Amino acid sequence: MAPFLDRRDLRFQLFEVLDTARLPQRPRFAEQSRETYDDVLNVAYTVAERYFANHARAADLHEPQVVDGRVVLVPEAAAALRAFREAGFYAAHHDEALGGVQLPWVVMQAVMAHFQAANIGTAGYAFLTIGNANLQRVFASPEQQRRYMLPLIEGRWTGTMALSEPQAGSGLADITTSATPRPDGTYAIRGSKMWISGGEHELAENIVHLVLARIQGGPAGVRGISLFLVPRYRVTPDGAVGEDNHVVLAGLNHKMGYRGTTNTLLNFGEGGETIGELVGEPGQGLSQMFHMMNEARIGVGLGAVMLAQAGYQVSLAYARDRHQGRVPGTRDPQSPPVPIIRHADVRRLLLGQKAVVEGGLALCLYASALVDDVQTGPPEERTDTALLLDLLTPLVKSWPSRHAQDALSDAIQVMGGAGYTRDYPVEMYYRDNRLNPIHEGTEGIQGNDLLGRKLTQANGRGLALLAARMHADLDATSGVEAVREIRSAVALAQTQAHTALETLLGQAGTLDPEALLANANAALELLGTVVVGWMWLRQASVAARALEAARGDDVAFYRGKLQTARYYAAHELPKVRALADLLASVDRSTLDMQDGWF
């Protein structure tokens, strides 16, 4: 079985960079310890290796199909989710009163990283179910939580989010699914939903869909959108699974990758009445769903990182084992071929992957730690922390998704023709990851969100908070010679990015919205590149301080961190200048291009 995870790096990120072992100082985590977290991660690795990695290729080759009206998956998928459930991972981060152990969110995300790396298709069912339950925990009534949320936490049912429609993908203002009030306070749901991951299968007793719909007579646009709990099978007052709720599978979407997760077109109200329950107040559906969406966006970024991680591990092992060619300057044609990792260009490709994987992982776990800080950190800091998390979320979703694709391309390149074949899983990871820049909001949507909302909300305080945190780390490393290159590069890039963004936003009052947002994707890439550079500075500073006392394998590990930080400083951060110049110029190339000119 191919390696899929660097456990040493995961613990480095959690315990040396983020100092997660200090979380038990907070009341919610008081019964926990570093040993608790190590034990949880060990269980996650065992379950991921034994029950998820064992069928990743089979799930890709034998994608879901409909047989006699039922969706059929490879049998190992059910066993995997059963093992996930028995390990307690559906409930792990929830209150003890709900059957959880109150695991910090950053540790929970580290747990999920194992499953995303081992088999992202099967992990998708757990990912969606956890997100569905988390939304209900915030917005559903106590009665709804008893009947719909608890079975999700127990892992007996699964959950989805049902937003898009055939005529309305990301444009949710145009959805037409309707909700008609019934005498008992429930609603009759009618319409179609497209691209619903996990929307139909036989892996659980029931499926709970979170459905966006318009209450009859409600206002047009997003103000008229409400959120409903719509189960596949109706739920009786005592919480048991009842009769069919007429959520009908209209078809499966056949995908390039991510094939282990069913993706469906669902019809509501076909052949009978589909009954749903309103969550919270009418007209609040979009804001409620964004609670799950923002959580999912961090998860998408992490999933991209872990696919790139898995590809990196395979290509690294291949480069060490594959012997071919001789290093320049070798005069003896009879000398044996060298491992291809000896060739400079192969090391370049591997360094590029390592920079993306470990920089992206640092970013995703940093954002996950901010989630814990918002919920359990000092009360006086939570508002600012939430602003910083809001600002970073589009970056966390998009930067890893885009650059994981580059990293996986490099993994294939390292392996040459072998990487292009199904003899190795890297081509599968490449196809799997191509979904990540698309779902939970495309790069265009994330760019518009960043430039059009997140950078300006609270009078730009989020950007100021980010700059303050970066400057604090720059100041703390001013005397550390081993990080000089990355520190100088981050300082310059941060200044360039901040100046360009301030220049552009300073013109917001005189620019029409289209012109302001025309280069939003460049803003996304600009800030993402700088922030990941900051993540590398943080890692490098820890490695530099740890290296003096390091022994054995840790010496090479920390030196690898420092060298990769130097690579990022030399190869990636200089790109910020071009992006900054583009933004500050308010270039109109794309905006002024006409349809007929293509």
Side-chain angles (χ1 to χ4, degrees):
M1 183 183 298
F4 61 86
L5 187 74
D6 184 344
R7 302 174 75 188
R8 175 67 180 90
D9 185 55
L10 190 60
R11 282 169 167 76
F12 169 77
Q13 306 276 9
L14 279 176
F15 303 120
E16 297 180 63
V17 178
L18 291 174
D19 199 12
T20 301
R22 294 185 61 186
L23 285 177
Q25 296 176 12
R26 300 179 183 179
R28 179 171 177 81
F29 312 123
E31 301 301 316
Q32 301 167 12
S33 66
R34 163 70 189 268
E35 289 72 25
T36 303
Y37 303 147
D38 278 328
D39 288 345
V40 169
L41 295 175
N42 287 336
V43 172
Y45 185 84
T46 298
V47 175
E49 181 182 47
R50 185 175 301 171
Y51 294 101
F52 282 73
N54 68 328
H55 69 282
R57 175 58 84 183
D60 179 67
L61 294 176
H62 306 286
E63 61 182 310
Q65 57 182 312
V66 179
V67 178
D68 297 329
R70 299 291 184 181
V71 173
V72 177
L73 306 172
V74 293
E76 294 91 343
L81 294 175
R82 183 165 57 249
F84 188 93
R85 170 190 173 185
E86 291 172 353
F89 289 134
Y90 283 109
H93 62 289
H94 285 285
D95 297 348
E96 291 178 353
L98 296 174
V101 294
Q102 301 181 180
L103 202 66
W105 188 243
V106 66
V107 179
M108 186 64 196
Q109 291 300 90
V111 165
M112 291 303 297
H114 290 73
F115 301 101
Q116 291 171 312
N119 184 335
I120 202 163
T122 298
Y125 300 99
F127 174 84
L128 288 162
T129 300
I130 289 169
N132 186 309
N134 288 349
L135 182 147
Q136 290 192 51
R137 187 73 181 118
V138 176
F139 297 111
S141 70
E143 174 61 16
Q144 287 172 333
Q145 291 179 18
R146 180 185 70 82
R147 295 170 61 232
Y148 295 101
M149 184 189 74
L150 288 181
L152 300 181
I153 291 175
E154 293 166 359
R156 294 188 292 111
W157 300 358
T158 60
T160 79
M161 60 168 80
L163 292 73
S164 300
E165 298 181 2
Q167 82 294 339
S170 300
L172 294 176
D174 299 319
I175 67 169
T176 59
T177 297
S178 65
T180 303
R182 301 174 75 247
D184 62 358
T186 61
Y187 292 78
I189 309 297
R190 178 170 289 276
S192 298
K193 292 290 180 179
M194 176 61 106
W195 313 117
I196 311 307
S197 295
E200 182 74 6
H201 53 74
E202 302 301 321
L203 296 171
E205 301 168 15
N206 206 353
I207 303 172
V208 179
H209 304 286
L210 286 168
V211 178
L212 290 182
R214 295 184 183 282
I215 296 176
Q216 193 176 47
V222 297
R223 293 186 303 112
I225 298 175
S226 300
L227 182 64
F228 298 86
L229 286 163
V230 182
R232 179 193 192 191
Y233 298 111
R234 294 175 186 173
V235 180
T236 64
D238 62 359
V241 175
E243 61 187 10
D244 184 76
N245 198 27
H246 303 289
V247 178
V248 177
L249 175 67
L252 294 176
N253 295 308
H254 300 286
K255 299 174 291 178
M256 174 180 176
Y258 234 110
R259 292 175 177 169
T261 307
T262 58
N263 190 269
T264 62
L265 169 62
L266 300 177
N267 290 337
F268 297 87
E270 181 177 312
E273 197 171 48
T274 297
I275 297 174
E277 295 186 23
L278 177 67
V279 178
E281 297 298 320
Q284 299 301 307
L286 204 57
S287 62
Q288 292 166 341
M289 187 61 86
F290 266 109
H291 183 276
M292 184 174 178
M293 285 280 286
N294 285 332
E295 175 187 314
R297 285 170 174 170
I298 296 174
V300 167
L302 182 60
V305 166
M306 298 321 295
L307 285 167
Q309 165 80 268
Y312 171 56
Q313 294 300 318
V314 173
S315 67
L316 177 60
Y318 185 90
R320 287 169 168 164
D321 291 341
R322 172 68 168 171
H323 288 65
Q324 183 169 291
R326 293 158 186 85
V327 296
T330 301
R331 295 172 180 250
D332 181 6
Q334 299 299 315
S335 62
V338 298
I340 63 172
I341 200 170
R342 290 283 308 279
H343 300 304
D345 195 59
V346 171
R347 290 198 294 273
R348 175 186 66 84
L349 293 166
L350 291 169
L351 261 173
Q353 293 178 67
K354 185 176 173 70
V356 168
V357 167
E358 297 175 12
L361 180 59
L363 174 61
C364 293
L365 292 179
Y366 184 84
S368 301
L370 291 179
V371 173
D372 285 315
D373 291 344
V374 169
Q375 296 174 350
T376 65
E380 67 276 11
E381 298 176 7
R382 293 181 188 179
T383 298
D384 277 352
T385 304
L387 282 172
L388 179 60
L389 179 61
D390 277 350
L391 176 67
L392 289 178
T393 295
L395 308 179
V396 177
K397 192 274 180 187
S398 292
W399 193 94
S401 297
R402 172 188 291 190
H403 290 279
Q405 203 68 19
D406 297 333
L408 287 162
S409 179
D410 286 349
I412 293 172
Q413 191 72 18
V414 166
M415 300 174 70
Y420 195 65
T421 70
R422 292 184 182 176
D423 294 339
Y424 294 89
V426 181
E427 61 83 27
M428 177 180 71
Y429 302 147
Y430 184 89
R431 289 184 287 104
D432 285 343
N433 186 69
R434 193 57 192 85
L435 177 63
N436 288 323
I438 300 171
H439 68 159
E440 310 306 340
T442 64
E443 287 187 348
I445 289 171
Q446 303 304 323
N448 286 346
D449 182 41
L450 176 69
L451 190 54
R453 285 193 292 270
K454 300 301 175 58
L455 286 171
T456 56
Q457 71 180 3
N459 295 316
R461 180 149 179 79
L463 186 60
L465 291 166
L466 175 62
R469 292 207 178 195
M470 292 180 69
H471 282 297
D473 284 331
L474 288 165
D475 291 344
T477 55
S478 61
V480 184
E481 176 61 23
V483 302
R484 178 173 51 82
E485 295 98 333
I486 185 66
R487 182 184 180 279
S488 297
V490 169
L492 177 60
Q494 193 276 333
T495 299
Q496 292 170 336
H498 198 85
T499 300
L501 290 170
E502 284 194 329
T503 299
L504 178 62
L505 293 173
Q507 301 177 65
T510 60
L511 292 173
D512 65 84
E514 274 195 298
L516 178 66
L517 297 176
N519 298 307
N521 188 268
L524 192 69
E525 180 68 5
L526 170 85
L527 202 54
T529 302
V530 173
V531 168
V532 173
W534 172 41
M535 293 294 109
W536 269 111
L537 174 63
R538 287 165 54 84
Q539 294 182 76
S541 65
V542 172
R545 293 186 173 101
L547 190 55
E548 184 176 345
R551 298 292 182 270
D553 292 343
D554 279 348
V555 174
F557 177 83
Y558 292 129
R559 285 179 176 165
K561 286 291 180 185
L562 290 169
Q563 193 66 17
T564 311
R566 294 183 189 112
Y567 168 89
Y568 196 89
H571 289 253
E572 299 301 328
L573 284 172
K575 298 174 184 177
V576 167
R577 174 61 185 271
L579 291 164
D581 289 346
L582 175 65
L583 274 177
S585 72
V586 197
D587 177 72
R588 295 181 60 94
S589 299
T590 58
L591 186 61
D592 291 342
M593 183 65 178
Q594 301 297 305
D595 184 351
W597 301 349
F598 282 102

